[in-house]
Amino acid sequence: MTETPSAQPSAKRGAFTRFLDGVEWLGNLLPHPVTLFAILAGLMILASGLFGDLMGLSVEDPRPEGARGRSPDGMISAVSLLNEDGFRRIFTSLTTNFTSFAPLGVVLVAMLGVGVAEKSGLLSAAVRSIVLSANKHTVTVAVVFAGVLSNTASEMGYVVLVPLAGAVFYALGRHPLAGMAAAFAGTSGGYSANLLIGTIDPLLAGITTEAARLIDPDYVVAAPANWYFMVASTFLVTLIGSLVTIFIVEPKLGAYDPSRADPSVLDKNMMQPVSAEEKRGLGWAGLASLAVFAAMAWTLMPEIGGLGGLPGWGALRNSDTGSIFQQAPFFIGFVTWIFLFFLIVGFTYGRAAGTMKNDRDVIDGMASAISTLGLYIVLVFFAAQFVAFFNWSNLGAIFAVLGAQFLTDTGLTGPAIFIGFILMCAFVNLMLGSASAQWAVTAPIFVPMLMLIGYSPEVIQAAYRIGDSSTNIITPMMSYFGLILAWMTRYDKKLGIGTVIAMMLPYSLAFLVFWTALFFLWTFALGLPVGPGSPTLYELPTG
């Protein structure tokens, strides 16, 4: 068992650590996150009036005519909410802004299943069976690596892995926030890296294809266009995330003070050996897991002979194309699998271990899980208003276009232009947290521009994904940032947003630097393709 590290306040603190202390101090001067989002929502209303009514700010929309969301006059104009129309829109949409905020429903549904697994004791037993004999550095690598892989399953990393990583680190006598930071860095900072093709790949490829066709009407970017580079990126993100956790984040956090935590998350039995009843429960839970995985595979099966007529066979593939990725119900509704997995496996464990007997125990587990989300639900209400007001104002899209135009005006044509491009994408991501929304606005500018100076759309898209992923973990505009705050405050009731940003900033900076370096090494130094059939350079068609 690893002992809890002792704090060393007298140790000499380096310049970077003092810088992070300053970021944390400044960030923690901000009010409570709920209050902060309420203030930001109010300021957004004022800003929309300034840029909309008073300044009349507008830019030319780079998207082609007829594109979804493009106005008939071809302009993106700031929309004021500081008038009668804006007031009516705010007043009538307050409820729907909240209820339609995408992460809210996902979190509530997933937690119904996770609550059963937690109430039955499955999560505690599983964590103890893993960590009691584990090397702490191996656990760190495993957490970051699992975070990177979890983005294939969309929300699973945020809803399941981040809180679980906190429990694992606490069980090992380490700071639980360090574990949560490592999981968050892998899940969100490494969002575009993976060993498998995920839901984001066909989404981005479709946007890139439309942008490329502004120059070459027949150009097609395939979903696996960045696969080779993203496989290599998986190991880089895992390595960098683990090193930052071990040598920067964990030492800065110091020793953990359990008195700052919500008592409900501190399991006094977390370091007890796994009992015979728990081992029996884990065995049955393993069989239940295999059954769920078999059901998942069943719904993705292709047409084979006459088997397609069997109930549920291939039912969650795309009914039009047969794809298991692009617009496939399997991934669109993956939260349903999260719910079913933890419900079935959790109850199976509970029955075998003797901790659950009937439906009342299941209901109690679900209710208990939802009761822990009070702060998150309050935070989401105000965060949803701010995000909605920001989107209505069009200011995010306008600033994205202005940033793109600034980079274009620099006149760079060599590979060095990708440094500015990646940094610009990282900056815009602080305002537009959605990868697809940001790319939909900026791709029609950058893809044609960089194609004209000789770079392929596939390479351009790969560079975009570096900038977009690296700053996910430090922007409150990221849709799951509020959930991460809620998870972390369970271990530190006095946690401020400055602490979270200062904790995640080293990951963000390291990912930007080393991921960009890998991109240049892979693409320009070694001349390797970023994906199957993906050229590095592009030549304009002749004739």
Side-chain angles (χ1 to χ4, degrees), residues 3-9 254-255:
E3 295 181 359
T4 304
S6 58
Q8 297 178 354

Side-chain angles (χ1 to χ4, degrees), residues 334-418:
F334 197 82
V335 66
T336 305
W337 284 120
I338 297 175
F339 165 70
L340 291 173
F341 177 85
F342 284 102
L343 172 64
I344 295 170
V345 177
F347 183 67
T348 301
Y349 170 88
R351 287 284 295 179
T355 57
M356 281 191 163
K357 297 180 179 179
N358 51 40
D359 60 320
R360 290 184 179 275
D361 294 325
V362 172
I363 294 169
D364 287 344
M366 291 181 175
S368 177
I370 297 299
S371 70
T372 66
L373 295 177
L375 174 61
Y376 173 66
I377 293 172
V378 174
L379 188 150
V380 161
F381 175 78
F382 292 98
Q385 309 310 322
F386 167 64
V387 172
F389 299 167
F390 189 73
N391 290 336
W392 295 346
S393 71
N394 282 339
L395 292 179
I398 289 172
F399 291 140
V401 173
L402 291 175
Q405 290 174 348
F406 169 77
L407 185 57
T408 304
D409 292 341
T410 61
L412 293 173
T413 57
I417 194 172
F418 281 99

Side-chain angles (χ1 to χ4, degrees), residues 419-459:
I419 296 177
F421 174 52
I422 291 170
L423 291 176
M424 192 282 301
C425 294
F427 176 72
V428 172
N429 189 52
L430 298 175
M431 298 177 289
L432 287 175
S434 167
S436 58
Q438 182 191 160
W439 194 225
V441 173
T442 54
I445 300 173
F446 282 112
V447 172
M449 180 190 85
L450 295 174
M451 286 175 71
L452 289 174
I453 59 176
Y455 297 107
S456 74
E458 291 86 351
V459 166

